[in-house]
Amino acid sequence: MKYKKKLIEVALPLDAINKAASKEKSIRQGHPSTLHLWWARRPLAACRATIFASIVDDPSSHPEKFKTIESQNSERLRLFGIIERLVQWESSTDTDVRSEAMAEIAKYCDPKEVGILDPFSGGASISLEAQRLGLFAQGTDLNPVPVIIGKALCEMPFRFSGFGPVNPSRSQLDMNSEMSNLGLAEDVKYYGEQLREIVRKKIGSLYPEIEVPKHIGKGKAKIIAWLWARTVASPNPALKGTHVPLVRSFIVSKKKNKK
């Protein structure tokens, strides 16, 4: 059986993919990174394009259908158009665009028989995008933190879709779709605020408000995260027995209070 090259092995609309991936960095609502930061999180746009192009055949693999270089290039450009629409942030919830991509995938495989495995899942971008394209996805990781992130992104919304909220102050939502996650979203917000207040009472004093140096904006800002702090014994004989800071880093909130 002759090996059939996939689209990703021949060409991709890299400019469009890179542009969409770069745009994700400025998304401040609805993106997984706003739920939890994870080191080296793969851009969703790039994952979506990669999965699609790894399954769909390149036109050169079907010379019986695309007999000339020109016809192959024309078909390749058509596939590029699908990818360029697919990688847009708005396409994350655009069922028409995703349906178009899923229909193309179905030409080359049975989606029910194709699985995507990410053995080092991290922020679960690959698993999430495989699910969006109607494929069975599995992700694994040794670190329990990305495992929890993956469950929150890929398992929980699917398991509780179509259910209303259960928190004490729950509202009557318009659950007009079996795939709606509005109920889950309201519960996460409610119980997240409860947890934040509990944590604030216990360790809030460790995140005080500070004066911001003039060269980075002045005013007051609240410390929102300590990266790490360490001290070493001073090598200076005159300071024997004392310790000096080696590194002390913290992050402050971007929302500064004006004087």
Side-chain angles (χ1 to χ4, degrees):
M1 182 178 178
K2 185 179 178 181
Y3 175 74
K4 294 180 179 180
K5 285 187 176 182
K6 299 299 179 181
L7 182 62
I8 196 172
E9 298 178 83
V10 179
L12 286 174
L14 293 178
D15 287 343
I17 295 172
N18 290 338
K19 186 177 180 180
S22 179
K23 180 182 177 182
E24 278 188 33
K25 296 180 180 179
S26 61
I27 302 296
R28 290 292 176 266
Q29 186 174 3
H31 195 282
S33 63
T34 61
L35 175 68
H36 190 290
L37 290 174
W38 185 251
W39 322 119
R41 179 184 289 279
R42 302 294 178 256
L44 301 180
C47 293
R48 210 175 301 159
T50 300
I51 293 170
F52 177 85
S54 297
I55 297 176
V56 172
D57 290 351
D58 183 74
S60 62
S61 296
H62 298 277
E64 72 286 356
K65 293 174 61 177
F66 309 104
K67 298 179 181 181
T68 65
I69 298 297
E70 290 75 14
S71 62
Q72 291 175 14
N73 288 336
S74 178
E75 173 64 8
R76 201 172 287 126
L77 288 175
R78 186 186 72 82
L79 295 174
F80 282 5
I82 294 176
I83 293 176
E84 288 169 3
R85 292 188 292 277
L86 188 64
V87 297
Q88 300 305 312
W89 170 250
E90 295 75 19
S91 296
S92 301
T93 55
D94 190 324
T95 55
D96 291 336
V97 174
R98 286 189 288 127
S99 294
E100 182 183 18
M102 291 165 67
E104 199 66 37
I105 288 174
K107 293 180 182 179
Y108 301 97
C109 71
D110 182 351
K112 295 180 180 179
E113 297 181 358
V114 173
I116 303 296
L117 171 63
D118 184 0
F120 308 101
S121 59
S125 295
I126 292 176
S127 300
L128 176 63
E129 291 310 320
Q131 280 191 333
R132 286 199 217 266
L133 292 174
L135 302 170
F136 176 74
Q138 286 185 314
T140 63
D141 206 292
L142 289 174
N143 190 325
V145 175
V147 171
I148 293 175
I149 295 174
K151 283 182 173 292
L153 280 176
C154 303
E155 288 187 13
M156 299 306 176
F158 178 77
R159 183 180 300 177
F160 296 103
S161 62
F163 289 89
V166 297
N167 69 78
S169 64
R170 58 186 180 274
S171 60
Q172 295 296 322
L173 299 175
D174 181 16
M175 305 295 290
N176 56 7
S177 170
E178 292 184 0
M179 297 304 293
S180 174
N181 290 307
L182 294 176
L184 176 61
E186 186 170 305
D187 283 340
V188 169
K189 180 180 179 181
Y190 176 85
Y191 289 109
E193 291 174 349
Q194 298 290 310
L195 181 60
R196 181 181 61 187
E197 290 306 311
I198 293 173
V199 173
R200 179 179 289 159
K201 290 178 181 178
K202 290 186 175 182
I203 62 172
S205 60
L206 302 177
Y207 299 84
E209 199 170 64
I210 63 169
E211 290 288 340
V212 178
K214 183 177 180 180
H215 67 280
I216 59 173
K218 294 181 64 176
K220 291 185 177 182
K222 198 173 188 65
I223 294 175
I224 59 173
W226 291 98
L227 298 183
W228 59 289
R230 189 174 181 181
T231 62
V232 295
S234 174
N236 188 340
L239 299 174
K240 185 178 181 180
T242 63
H243 286 69
V244 294
L246 178 63
V247 175
R248 185 177 64 185
S249 302
F250 56 86
I251 302 173
V252 297
S253 170
K254 293 182 179 180
K255 295 181 179 179
K256 302 180 181 67
N257 297 326
K258 294 182 180 180
K259 286 187 175 181

